[in-house]
Amino acid sequence: MARRIDVTGAGGVRLAAWEFGDPPKGDPAHGGPAAVIPAQSAHPAQLARLVERPLPDAVAADAENRPGVLLLHGLMGRASHWASTARWLSERHRAVALDQRGHGQSEKPSEGEAAFTREAYVEDAEAALEQLGLAPTVLIGHAMGALTAWQLAAKRPDLVRGVIICDMRASALGAASQREWGDWFKSWPVPFATLADVRKWFGEDDPWVERPNPSRGEFYAEVMHESPDGWRPVFEPEQMLKSRETWVYDAHWEELTQVQCPALVVRGLDGELGRAEAQEMVRVLPLGEYAEVADAGHLVHYDQPEAWRAAIEPFLDGVLTV
């Protein structure tokens, strides 16, 4: 189960936050397990159904007294990508996932110099924590969301009690990387005729796919919506590139050194964050820890949800019981 809570972000941008609740065990008719949609099977049509199953008052009231966790997806992602993680988190924590600006069901601000800056993303997460009453919280971020998490932890240590950084590099990626992404977006055969075509292209036919990866296909199927001529992404690729260009040219090591709370760096064994860089990130973090997930690529929490849970749960238990 999840309920949508509207949040006002930087510059008045409307953001959709999704609070997940642990339903009564074995009671689908009253919002039990059958009402929870696993991340691997959800797509926008299913996400809309989550709005129709608000948290019962008792569940919502109980969640208010639990330690908060805010989940931040990566570039092109959406809150529903965290559904399987949020489901088990909500058994003991108040778990909220945020559709970040330009993503999911949040507002896509008009073009402007400040619309997709790093500062805007960080201020959005800061506003969500304050308006939802989640602080002090644990931030769990994937890729770009992880960068937002550690930048917010450095900026507002009073709001953050722990950070989990999932497969995000601290080094600069450079102009060549940005050009590659621009060319990649142009290569998408949009519109897709069906969701099956989306799954096949991103899971098998995409030149960036080294070997068939069904979970990757599902990941991208979840960020598509049906338009009159076929299936297209819910985001604007140009806005994704604008978001990305605000951080790919710079390194972010100094901000890591400013994160004073416990921090866990997690990488997929076949992900984009190499082991040497991940371990260096742990070294520069004042209270850094390291974990890696075997048989996982960049989409660690999506590729291997059980192994992901095993990697982060001990860290969460330690941070949230201090």
Side-chain angles (χ1 to χ4, degrees), residues 16-36:
W18 301 88
E19 180 171 0
F20 290 76
D22 182 35
K25 299 298 187 288
D27 189 7
H30 295 87
V36 180

Side-chain angles (χ1 to χ4, degrees), residues 37-54:
I37 299 173
Q40 286 79 0
S41 64
H43 59 72
Q46 291 174 314
L47 182 61
R49 285 167 49 196
L50 293 176
V51 186
E52 300 170 10
R53 293 190 181 274

Side-chain angles (χ1 to χ4, degrees), residues 6-237:
D6 289 329
V7 173
T8 302
V13 172
R14 296 186 303 276
L15 306 172
W18 301 88
E19 180 171 0
F20 290 76
D22 182 35
K25 299 298 187 288
D27 189 7
H30 295 87
V36 180
I37 299 173
Q40 286 79 0
S41 64
H43 59 72
Q46 291 174 314
L47 182 61
R49 285 167 49 196
L50 293 176
V51 186
E52 300 170 10
R53 293 190 181 274
L55 303 184
D57 291 342
V59 174
D62 180 59
E64 295 289 338
N65 299 318
R66 300 183 182 191
V69 177
L70 183 66
L71 299 129
L72 300 171
H73 61 72
L75 191 72
M76 300 181 293
R78 66 186 307 164
S80 61
H81 283 141
W82 290 114
S84 65
T85 297
R87 182 173 57 190
W88 62 261
L89 279 173
S90 67
E91 296 170 5
R92 297 172 57 193
H93 315 298
R94 186 182 177 203
V96 179
L98 182 68
D99 274 336
Q100 295 176 77
R101 60 176 53 217
H103 296 74
Q105 294 191 25
S106 287
E107 185 179 358
K108 299 169 179 60
S110 58
E111 300 300 332
E113 289 298 319
F116 293 99
T117 61
R118 279 283 81 220
E119 291 77 11
Y121 277 103
V122 172
E123 289 173 14
D124 286 348
E126 182 180 2
L129 291 182
E130 293 179 327
Q131 292 171 37
L132 295 170
L134 280 176
T137 193
V138 172
L139 298 173
I140 302 179
H142 173 246
M144 182 189 73
L147 176 59
T148 300
W150 88 63
Q151 288 180 326
L152 177 54
K155 176 187 178 184
R156 290 292 306 274
D158 57 310
L159 297 180
V160 185
R161 65 200 300 177
V163 178
I164 296 178
I165 297 166
C166 180
D167 216 64
M168 178 61 187
R169 299 179 62 182
S171 58
L173 301 181
S177 173
Q178 188 71 351
R179 287 194 298 270
E180 288 172 2
W181 272 70
D183 292 341
W184 179 57
F185 277 127
K186 293 176 184 176
S187 75
W188 291 17
V190 290
F192 294 92
T194 66
L195 278 178
D197 292 329
V198 174
R199 295 186 183 99
K200 185 176 186 301
W201 196 82
F202 287 101
E204 300 177 24
D205 301 337
D206 184 348
W208 283 16
V209 176
E210 296 181 358
R211 57 182 181 274
N213 186 341
S215 67
R216 187 175 188 268
E218 291 291 348
F219 184 93
Y220 283 97
E222 201 163 337
V223 295
M224 297 289 162
H225 70 107
E226 192 170 16
S227 58
D229 59 352
W231 292 84
R232 295 178 177 274
V234 298
F235 52 78
E236 299 294 336

